[in-house]
Amino acid sequence: MSEMITINIDGQDVEVPKGINIIEAVKQVGKGKEVPHYCYHPKLSIAGNCRMCMVEMGMPMRDRATGEAVLDEDGTQKIAWIPKPTIGCATNAAPGMHIRTNSEMVEESRNGVTEFLLINHPLDCPICDQAGECRLQEFSAEHGRGYSRFIEDKNVKPKRTRLGPRVTLDDERCILCSRCVRFSKEVAGDDVLGFVDRGTYSTLTCYPGKELANNYSLNTVDICPVGALTSTDFRFKMRVWFLKRTHSICTESSVGANTEIWSREGKIYRITPRRNDAVNDTWMTDSGRDLFKPIESEDRLIDYTIEGVRKTSDEAADAAVELLKGGDVALVGSAHSSLEEQFFHKQIAERSGAKVSLVSHYGEGDGLLLSEDRSPNLRGALLTGLIGEPPKADLESLAREIDSGEVKTVFAVNEDLTEYGIRKEVLAKVKVIYVGTHANHTSEVAHIVLPSLSVFEKDGSFINQNFRLQRFKAAVPGPRGVRPDFTVLEKIAAPLGDEKPAPVTIDAVWERMASGIDQLDEALRWRSLPEEGVALDATAFAELDFVETKNLKYDPAALKEAQANPAEA
Ligand code: SF4
Ligand code: FES
């Protein structure tokens, strides 16, 4: 806990953490109070170059000789106001500090800064891709003069410059805030951007022979306060005010970066990061932003089928129950399934006596927001008891069991079994029930196919590398006729346990899960999960070794320590 101090903002005493800068301190006052700023970003170093965040600052006056407080006629301590405005981003709150954010001097400073910024900025807002989320446009309306005194010609700078494979730069819109330069150097570790030329001719560019091609390049687009940096993919596709935002979780790896899905009329247009200081700060990978594209692909599974013939979901579920009741079952679960689905998979495995396997999806980590485990919910599979330890990379032992006739039915979720050591000829020896979003060799030979919804089309939750439970919401509807997985899974799990299937909603699933999973608080419900997620007790998994190495918010040694001493953590 940081020490709290009292400062005075516009005549109101507020408690803020000691050392916090004035932009953040004013934010804490709430009620829409804000110090306008461009170059300051909470996750980057302070540059102090845009000068938009000017405030008036004063400290309680003391007599230099005696150190005594100098009092006003009314007995209150006099405030020594600094005669010139100061920048809020580089001023840290100190006890007794007084701040004015709306005095005449402050208004005049913002007005002047805005006028300077607009001197060379093109007035092409109606055709600019940043419209709707441009700080310059917003602050100009709020703090600008409303007319221009500039009669000279504007500087002409390069337009539509390719900075890298995914980022396009319109240099004339750049206000030289250096956020993108600092991000590349400080966060992405790829010092590729810089300014050339001086004064009014200063221009952002890549260093000679380099391009902005790292897997974090699109974060520069997110943080550019104006329309200078744009996503080559999203550019001119849709006005942002038409788009609906839905909170989601990136499924690219066990990091579980918090995201926002931007959609309109059932179509996703882009994915951007959502701030969570315990998970991804305000960043995400470029590769994670493309994950919505396959949901519209041609090979999407959209029909419930038995032996290739289209059926209703109930008919397909009934047929699956019959097969599973026959015994000799193996279940191949998935670390890409949601916690809710894994809960049902575990129930199906228990009730059908199935042996459970899972395959690992490991790759190289980048030490930042792409972890070695390329699945979002391996910890969920552990918590639900679907598996007892991190999985292997192949299904060779299952292949042997199928070959020897020990296994007669395979319930496979999301995985193409032929990629993990089960040859097609071997797979042909068993009846396969396949649950997944896309067609593959396994769905082709499956006796029963149960199409499922992608993460963008359903509600659910994942548990990330740090055992943080996080929820995601449906952003767009799934293909027509495809029902949420857990409603179909209930139709299979209930009859296997000689129960009548109940209508299931995510709330109903959570009522069951919260009482069935030790690490979940009984009172915990999906709908009331905080946006930043909930850190779960991971002590039960202290003996397990995971593949992830240190990355932005994951430290294997610290996790082990927390698991060993949960009370201190
Ligand atoms: S391109 Fe955008 S983020 Fe980069 S310096 Fe210019 S205004 Fe700032
Ligand atoms: S935000 Fe303070 S100088 Fe730019």
Side-chain angles (χ1 to χ4, degrees):
M1 285 285 286
S2 37
E3 187 192 333
M4 298 300 278
I5 55 166
T6 303
I7 64 169
N8 184 289
I9 297 174
D10 295 331
Q12 183 188 344
D13 280 345
V14 283
E15 289 237 315
V16 296
K18 189 177 179 185
I20 191 175
N21 72 46
I22 298 306
I23 293 181
E24 295 295 340
V26 171
K27 223 185 261 174
Q28 297 211 351
V29 181
K31 293 189 210 124
K33 243 194 191 310
E34 174 186 41
V35 174
H37 57 273
Y38 296 113
C39 71
Y40 168 70
H41 188 283
K43 298 293 171 186
L44 298 175
S45 62
I46 304 286
N49 61 11
C50 75
R51 320 307 283 179
M52 189 64 184
C53 63
M54 296 282 204
V55 291
E56 268 193 88
M57 195 263 274
M59 291 301 285
M61 217 185 246
R62 292 197 171 272
D63 188 294
R64 285 195 181 181
T66 63
E68 292 289 311
V70 179
L71 301 182
D72 245 329
E73 285 144 16
D74 62 0
T76 55
Q77 195 168 1
K78 262 191 173 175
I79 302 301
W81 289 99
I82 297 176
K84 288 188 177 176
T86 179
I87 52 171
C89 64
T91 305
N92 293 336
M97 183 181 265
H98 276 55
I99 298 291
R100 286 183 187 141
T101 68
N102 52 15
S103 65
E104 205 176 309
M105 186 200 282
V106 171
E107 292 291 335
E108 200 42 44
S109 321
R110 288 176 190 164
N111 207 308
V113 169
T114 305
E115 185 170 19
F116 269 114
L117 286 176
L118 291 177
I119 279 182
N120 281 308
H121 193 86
L123 296 178
D124 61 353
C125 301
I127 55 131
C128 176
D129 209 37
Q130 189 81 356
E133 51 186 0
C134 175
R135 302 304 270 163
L136 186 60
Q137 196 182 43
E138 287 159 12
F139 293 150
S140 298
E142 223 171 304
H143 308 289
R145 228 178 268 281
Y147 61 91
S148 173
R149 296 183 289 175
F150 187 70
I151 51 168
E152 292 81 5
D153 290 334
K154 283 179 187 269
N155 266 346
V156 178
K157 290 186 186 173
K159 276 195 84 68
R160 289 181 295 280
T161 308
R162 182 189 183 275
L163 276 193
R166 292 173 292 280
V167 181
T168 303
L169 166 69
D170 274 337
D171 244 323
E172 57 185 16
R173 294 182 188 151
C174 171
I175 58 165
L176 306 166
C177 74
S178 82
R179 275 182 172 189
C180 57
V181 178
R182 282 174 284 145
F183 169 82
S184 302
K185 191 172 175 177
E186 296 166 13
V187 181
D190 184 17
D191 192 5
V192 60
L193 295 172
F195 296 119
V196 291
D197 296 335
R198 311 204 59 176
T200 187
Y201 298 103
S202 278
T203 304
L204 177 76
T205 187
C206 283
Y207 289 132
K210 286 191 169 186
E211 62 170 11
L212 182 61
N214 65 63
N215 196 23
Y216 292 87
S217 69
L218 285 168
N219 291 282
T220 61
V221 174
D222 302 330
I223 58 175
C224 178
V226 295
L229 293 174
T230 50
S231 154
T232 311
D233 181 45
F234 178 67
R235 210 169 136 90
F236 303 124
K237 289 242 173 86
M238 184 56 68
R239 286 302 195 187
V240 290
W241 54 82
F242 289 133
L243 297 174
K244 179 186 86 172
R245 295 198 234 175
T246 310
H247 287 188
S248 192
I249 302 295
C250 181
T251 56
E252 190 182 25
S253 75
S254 60
V255 167
N258 290 208
T259 58
E260 262 182 345
I261 314 293
W262 299 67
S263 64
R264 185 187 184 191
E265 290 172 5
K267 186 177 166 59
I268 299 177
Y269 286 85
R270 68 171 179 183
I271 299 180
T272 56
R274 178 165 52 92
R275 181 171 177 179
N276 186 336
D277 291 351
V279 180
N280 56 307
D281 284 346
T282 53
W283 323 120
M284 73 177 290
T285 58
D286 289 1
S287 39
R289 297 171 197 244
D290 275 341
L291 296 181
F292 71 92
K293 292 183 176 164
I295 70 167
E296 289 186 351
S297 68
E298 295 277 303
D299 60 347
R300 190 75 202 266
L301 291 174
I302 51 172
D303 292 321
Y304 295 89
T305 60
I306 301 175
E307 298 290 11
V309 180
R310 218 166 127 188
K311 299 284 174 185
T312 65
S313 61
D314 283 355
E315 286 167 339
D318 290 345
V321 172
E322 284 315 306
L323 270 185
L324 295 169
K325 276 186 174 166
D328 300 330
V329 180
L331 186 144
V332 181
S334 167
H336 275 86
S337 298
S338 68
L339 188 68
E340 296 75 8
E341 290 155 9
Q342 290 171 342
F343 179 72
F344 276 105
H345 297 155
K346 164 77 178 159
Q347 212 168 47
I348 290 171
E350 264 174 4
R351 294 179 176 183
S352 63
K355 214 170 141 188
V356 179
S357 346
L358 216 82
V359 272
S360 61
H361 293 271
Y362 297 153
E364 225 173 274
D366 67 0
L368 208 50
L369 289 173
L370 182 67
S371 73
E372 286 79 356
D373 180 2
R374 297 294 209 279
S375 57
N377 200 24
L378 183 63
R379 307 306 195 262
L382 290 166
L383 245 81
T384 50
L386 190 61
I387 52 171
E389 55 184 33
K392 297 206 170 71
D394 59 52
L395 295 168
E396 267 170 16
S397 72
L398 177 59
R400 279 194 298 276
E401 284 160 5
I402 295 175
D403 214 13
S404 67
E406 226 175 292
V407 167
K408 299 209 167 49
T409 300
V410 177
F411 187 100
V413 185
N414 291 333
E415 307 288 7
D416 180 5
L417 308 182
T418 60
E419 281 184 14
Y420 303 103
I422 305 182
R423 294 192 320 277
K424 272 189 184 172
E425 317 81 79
V426 177
L427 202 56
K429 294 183 177 181
V430 285
K431 297 259 186 194
V432 176
I433 303 164
Y434 184 75
V435 185
T437 52
H438 289 78
N440 55 30
H441 292 311
T442 304
S443 71
E444 275 163 24
V445 300
H447 180 65
I448 299 168
V449 172
L450 306 169
S452 72
L453 297 176
S454 74
V455 65
F456 307 105
E457 301 155 339
K458 64 189 174 189
D459 294 334
S461 51
F462 292 137
I463 298 173
N464 87 343
Q465 57 184 1
N466 278 319
F467 287 88
R468 177 168 287 268
L469 172 69
Q470 309 190 95
R471 74 171 170 185
F472 54 87
K473 295 180 182 169
V476 291
R480 213 164 86 191
V482 178
R483 305 169 66 191
D485 287 32
F486 50 71
T487 60
V488 181
L489 294 172
E490 164 74 358
K491 295 255 157 111
I492 299 173
L496 283 176
D498 294 325
E499 290 166 9
K500 216 167 154 257
V504 272
T505 58
I506 189 134
D507 306 290
V509 179
W510 266 78
E511 262 179 42
R512 294 187 207 173
M513 278 200 329
S515 52
I517 297 177
D518 291 348
Q519 286 78 8
L520 299 185
D521 190 316
E522 282 243 20
L524 211 57
R525 289 293 177 271
W526 182 83
R527 263 172 226 286
S528 54
L529 279 180
E531 288 301 341
E532 70 280 8
V534 173
L536 299 177
D537 176 7
T539 40
F541 311 102
E543 299 303 314
L544 301 180
D545 283 319
F546 297 101
V547 287
E548 290 95 338
T549 55
K550 206 166 186 301
N551 57 44
L552 188 67
K553 301 286 173 176
Y554 179 77
D555 184 345
L559 180 65
K560 284 263 179 236
E561 176 75 14
Q563 285 170 324
N565 305 299
E568 283 169 36

